[in-house]
Structure formats: C-alpha cells, structure tokens
Amino acid sequence: MEILLGTILGVIFVSIIVFCFIKLNKNTKDKIVEEKNGKLINNVESTFPDIQIIENNTLAPLEKNKISDSSIEHSIAILDNSISNSIMVGKNIKNATELLNNKRAFFSATKKGTENMIKINGTNERIGTQAINGKFNKQTKFLEENRLIQSSGKDALLNAGFSATSMIVGQYYMNEINNKLDIIKDNIQGISDLLDSEFQGKLGQIISKMQEIIDNKVEILNNEYSRDKRYNEVLDLEQSCTKLLGQANEMIKNNITDENIDYKKYERQTNEIYKWFSRQQILRMLLIKIGDLRYVLSYGNETSKLSHTQYNYYIKQINSVNEELENWHKLMSKKLGIDTKEFRRNGKFYTIKKNTIGKIKEDWAYHKLNNDIVALIDNQSNIERLIPYTNKKQDDIIKIQKYNGKYYNLLNE
C-alpha cells in the first residue's frame, strides 16, 4: 500500500514538473514569436496635445494659416466627422483601455469602445495606427471589432485616430515654425552687414534644411523611414546651432572682462557686443524651433521637455552671460557718467565745466550721446530672462478653426 501511494505521488510530482516546463516553454516561444512579428506592445501614451475643432464663420482667420494640403484636410475631416463640433479629440491617446491582455491596448476617437473608432464611409473598415515596441508606427486599416477579433484574434493592437491626430499636430507646429523662420530670415537680413560669410553660410545651411523638412511635411510625416531620417538630421542641426550659440556667448563674455577703459573703447566694445548679441538672439530663436521640429518628428514618443533639452541648457548659459553684460553696462555707466535718459555723459574736465559754463546752462557741462549708442546700451541693459521648457506637451490643446468649410491653424502668436 505504501509503495502504491508513493508511486502515485511520484507520478503526480513528475506530471507537475512536466506541465510547468511545457507551460514555461510555450510562454517563451509565444513571446519570441510575438517579438519576432513585432507584436509585443507596451502600453504607451503620446505626448502630443489634444485637438479642438472650432467652427466659426464670423471671424476671418489669417490666410497664411490655411490648411491647403488635401491629406491634412482629410485627416481633420475624419476627426471632424467622428465627433460633435468643438469637442476635444485626442483623448484617445490618453484614455487607453485593455482590449485583450496587458500587452495589447486600443484607443478610440471619442470614447472607450472600438465601435467609436474612425470609420471609413461605405466600408466595414476603421482607420488606426499600430504602436510597435512602445513606439507609434505607421497608419493601418482595421476591420470592425467583431470581425477583427474573429479574423485576427490576439494579434491586433488598435490605436484609432492617432495617425490623424499626429498628422494634424505635426502640420500645425510646422506651420508655426515656418512663420517663425520667415521672421528669423528677416532678422538675418537686417544684420547681414554684421555677419561674416562663414557665419552667414552656417546659418543659411541650418535654415535651408529646416525649410526642406517643412516644405515636404506631408510626405515625411506619412513615412516612418523618412521621419526617422529627418529626426536624426535635426539632431545634427541642433549640434551646429549650439556650437554657434556657444561661440556667440563666449565672444560677449570676452568683451566685458575689461572694466578699466575710457569712453571711446567702451563705445567700440558696445558695438562689437551688438554684433554677437544679435547673433545670440537669432540662434536662440533657431534653437527653439529646432526643438519644436524635433518634437514633431518624434511622433509623440518624446516629451517637449526632452525635445528642448539643449535649448534648456543653453538658455541657462544665455541668462548668465546676459546678466554679466547688464552688470558691466551698469558699472561702466556709473564710471563714465552715462545718462541714457538725457542722452549725455561726463567727459574730460566735467567738474570744471559743471562749475563754470554748466552754471549758465547745465547741458554745456556734458558730452552728448548719439541715438544709436543709447539704443545699443539700453538694448543690452534690459534683457528678458528666458524660461525653460518643463512640460511634457508643447501645448495641452491646439485649435483648428473651421471657416466656410475650410480649416485653419489658430496659432499662439
């Protein structure tokens, strides 16, 4: 009896071991197959903002912000037709619901439930985007939920509406970047006499590459290979921009080290600082826009703070250098008796003049300052402190205006 009982227990124990081994081996194989097929998905959250479509036919939008590309118009129309006017979309990116297990999630365009995914009229198909290995991927067409589960089972991850929203957000920010680039180009033209050919060529190369990406935004945003390639190019532009910006900051510092100078040298150095200060401001604006472009090309996989890491680092440097510059001007103004409000300064024999001809007319005791140097001193003495990017999203909401059946970006000017 004891032998029989022992045999039974031994068989049970061996069976448990075999079962666990088979189960473990099966799970491992399943995981390998899933990873091999690119199906192993993490539950990810896009850092893109939400979109609000506002229909307003009374307030005419700016023509330069009109969305004229048919692909982008179509993406907006998909969202516009799937929700009521003025209801925010993009919640689909945040409100994930498990579909089948903890490795697979789907997002709907208006509320939880695949029945609310974006439907292609006249078909049983829905529009969505797969997120593979924790990264949002290319646009895909899916069948309705019941057909999908029947035909695909547990191999489907749906992220409905993301492709449309990412396209809209991407073109929105590229529109804003393009507008800002026009301003930067005008600023460069305005100080062209202060730029040597090498420096101007480097600025031109950065802007030209950014313009190329903006001008081909639809093709790039719709193509994962092209998007990733341009993202890497933007990192190179970022590096070029920060090198030039670091040089500008260093040259400003070099010109404010000497405090024992006369007025003529002070004026010469103020003019030299103006050259590098102008470059600093242009490069700072460029670096912001490069960060914005990096944010767009990351396709929702990178926070705004991360995209602007270099900008955040360099504005600390800019703030520090500009604070030193302001203090230098205050010290020199005190030493040289400069009064920018009265457009005058102390000169040689000021004390004698003050007690002689200055008694007749006060201004006769001073040297007059011309308007240009006063403008430079004031400009370099009242510099705005820059604030870093700290948010995950560039904006919580971006707004699209629907005006007489057409769509326009409502940019934050």
Side-chain angles (χ1 to χ4, degrees):
M1 185 66 179
E2 290 180 354
I3 295 174
L4 179 60
L5 182 59
T7 301
I8 293 172
L9 290 174
V11 170
I12 293 173
F13 180 74
V14 171
S15 298
I16 291 172
I17 292 175
V18 171
F19 175 80
C20 291
F21 176 80
I22 293 173
K23 183 69 175 177
L24 179 62
N25 190 48
K26 183 179 184 302
N27 288 343
T28 302
K29 286 182 178 179
D30 288 345
K31 185 175 181 180
I32 292 172
V33 169
E34 285 183 332
E35 291 178 331
K36 183 177 180 181
N37 293 332
K39 301 291 187 180
L40 183 59
I41 313 302
N42 295 322
N43 202 345
V44 293
E45 177 182 323
S46 170
T47 61
F48 274 166
D50 296 338
I51 299 168
Q52 188 173 26
I53 302 173
I54 302 171
E55 186 161 9
N56 187 330
N57 291 325
T58 58
L59 182 63
L62 295 176
E63 190 63 23
K64 68 176 182 178
N65 293 330
K66 182 179 180 180
I67 299 168
S68 55
D69 187 273
S70 58
S71 299
I72 299 171
E73 282 188 294
H74 179 66
S75 294
I76 298 174
I78 288 173
L79 295 181
D80 194 19
N81 292 331
S82 68
I83 59 171
S84 301
N85 286 338
S86 298
I87 295 179
M88 278 181 285
V89 296
K91 299 296 184 184
N92 51 308
I93 299 172
K94 294 191 296 184
N95 299 330
T97 302
E98 285 194 1
L99 176 61
L100 300 166
N101 58 39
N102 61 1
K103 294 178 184 175
R104 297 198 170 33
F106 76 91
F107 303 80
S108 70
T110 55
K111 62 181 181 179
K112 297 175 183 178
T114 47
E115 71 277 5
N116 293 299
M117 287 175 61
I118 297 170
K119 183 175 175 61
I120 300 175
N121 291 336
T123 72
N124 65 343
E125 294 179 325
R126 311 267 171 166
I127 292 179
T129 298
Q130 285 188 319
I132 297 179
N133 296 326
K135 181 179 179 181
F136 293 112
N137 205 351
K138 61 185 179 181
Q139 181 175 324
T140 311
K141 290 182 180 179
F142 300 99
L143 299 176
E144 292 182 25
E145 182 179 14
N146 58 344
R147 294 283 301 277
L148 174 72
I149 294 177
Q150 290 173 9
S151 60
S152 302
K154 294 187 176 184
D155 288 335
L157 171 73
L158 305 185
N159 177 17
F162 179 75
S163 182
T165 56
S166 62
M167 174 68 76
I168 297 166
V169 171
Q171 67 79 33
Y172 174 92
Y173 285 124
M174 285 197 185
N175 184 198
E176 193 274 337
I177 294 167
N178 190 56
N179 289 349
K180 186 64 72 174
L181 277 183
D182 288 340
I183 296 173
I184 293 172
K185 289 174 190 175
D186 290 341
N187 288 345
I188 292 174
Q189 186 63 34
I191 63 164
S192 58
D193 58 326
L194 302 176
L195 302 174
D196 57 75
S197 58
E198 181 181 2
F199 201 96
Q200 195 158 11
K202 290 177 179 178
L203 280 177
Q205 188 272 333
I206 294 172
I207 292 174
S208 174
K209 177 54 69 173
M210 292 176 71
Q211 196 69 60
E212 176 190 320
I213 295 171
I214 292 166
D215 291 345
N216 297 282
K217 58 182 175 290
V218 176
E219 180 180 347
I220 291 170
L221 291 172
N222 270 326
N223 185 299
E224 183 185 8
Y225 168 79
S226 184
R227 193 173 61 245
D228 289 347
K229 185 175 184 295
R230 268 58 188 190
Y231 178 88
N232 291 330
E233 289 176 352
V234 166
L235 294 183
D236 292 337
L237 296 182
E238 186 178 69
Q239 186 178 38
S240 298
C241 188
T242 54
K243 284 181 179 178
L244 295 176
L245 184 52
Q247 181 188 9
N249 287 333
E250 193 62 31
M251 292 304 295
I252 292 172
K253 289 182 69 174
N254 289 345
N255 279 282
I256 60 176
T257 55
D258 194 355
E259 298 171 355
N260 298 311
I261 54 178
D262 60 16
Y263 175 77
K264 287 186 177 180
K265 187 170 183 181
Y266 169 72
E267 188 174 299
R268 287 197 301 270
Q269 289 187 201
T270 298
N271 278 288
E272 180 68 12
I273 289 168
Y274 168 60
K275 179 174 73 176
W276 292 103
F277 182 76
S278 299
R279 297 180 184 191
Q280 179 206 73
Q281 294 303 302
I282 286 173
L283 288 163
R284 188 259 305 173
M285 288 190 289
L286 262 181
L287 192 55
I288 293 175
K289 296 302 112 186
I290 289 172
D292 291 351
L293 198 53
R294 174 176 163 177
Y295 176 68
V296 171
L297 295 173
S298 70
Y299 212 55
N301 295 292
E302 190 170 285
T303 65
S304 181
K305 182 179 179 181
L306 176 57
S307 297
H308 292 86
T309 298
Q310 288 300 303
Y311 174 76
N312 287 342
Y313 173 80
Y314 275 89
I315 64 168
K316 289 180 182 178
Q317 188 181 103
I318 290 172
N319 284 337
S320 176
V321 169
N322 289 350
E323 185 177 1
E324 291 181 42
L325 175 60
E326 287 180 324
N327 292 334
W328 181 75
H329 277 296
K330 289 176 184 177
L331 178 62
M332 295 310 301
S333 292
K334 185 176 180 180
K335 281 188 172 185
L336 300 172
I338 294 172
D339 186 345
T340 55
K341 291 182 180 179
E342 298 294 333
F343 290 80
R344 66 191 188 186
R345 67 175 178 85
N346 299 348
K348 287 184 178 180
F349 312 114
Y350 165 72
T351 304
I352 297 173
K353 288 180 179 180
K354 181 180 179 182
N355 294 315
T356 53
I357 59 176
K359 295 289 186 179
I360 303 172
K361 187 175 181 179
E362 185 182 3
D363 281 350
W364 290 353
Y366 298 91
H367 285 275
K368 295 293 291 183
L369 293 175
N370 65 53
N371 293 349
D372 290 341
I373 193 66
V374 168
L376 292 184
I377 294 171
D378 284 344
N379 189 41
Q380 296 172 22
S381 301
N382 301 283
I383 308 170
E384 181 182 359
R385 290 292 177 272
L386 303 171
I387 302 173
Y389 277 84
T390 57
N391 297 331
K392 289 178 62 178
K393 297 183 178 183
Q394 191 98 346
D395 298 286
D396 289 326
I397 300 169
I398 65 169
K399 295 180 180 181
I400 305 293
Q401 180 180 349
K402 188 176 183 181
Y403 178 79
N404 293 336
K406 296 294 183 179
Y407 298 104
Y408 297 78
N409 294 309
L410 289 179
L411 301 178
N412 294 319
E413 298 294 343

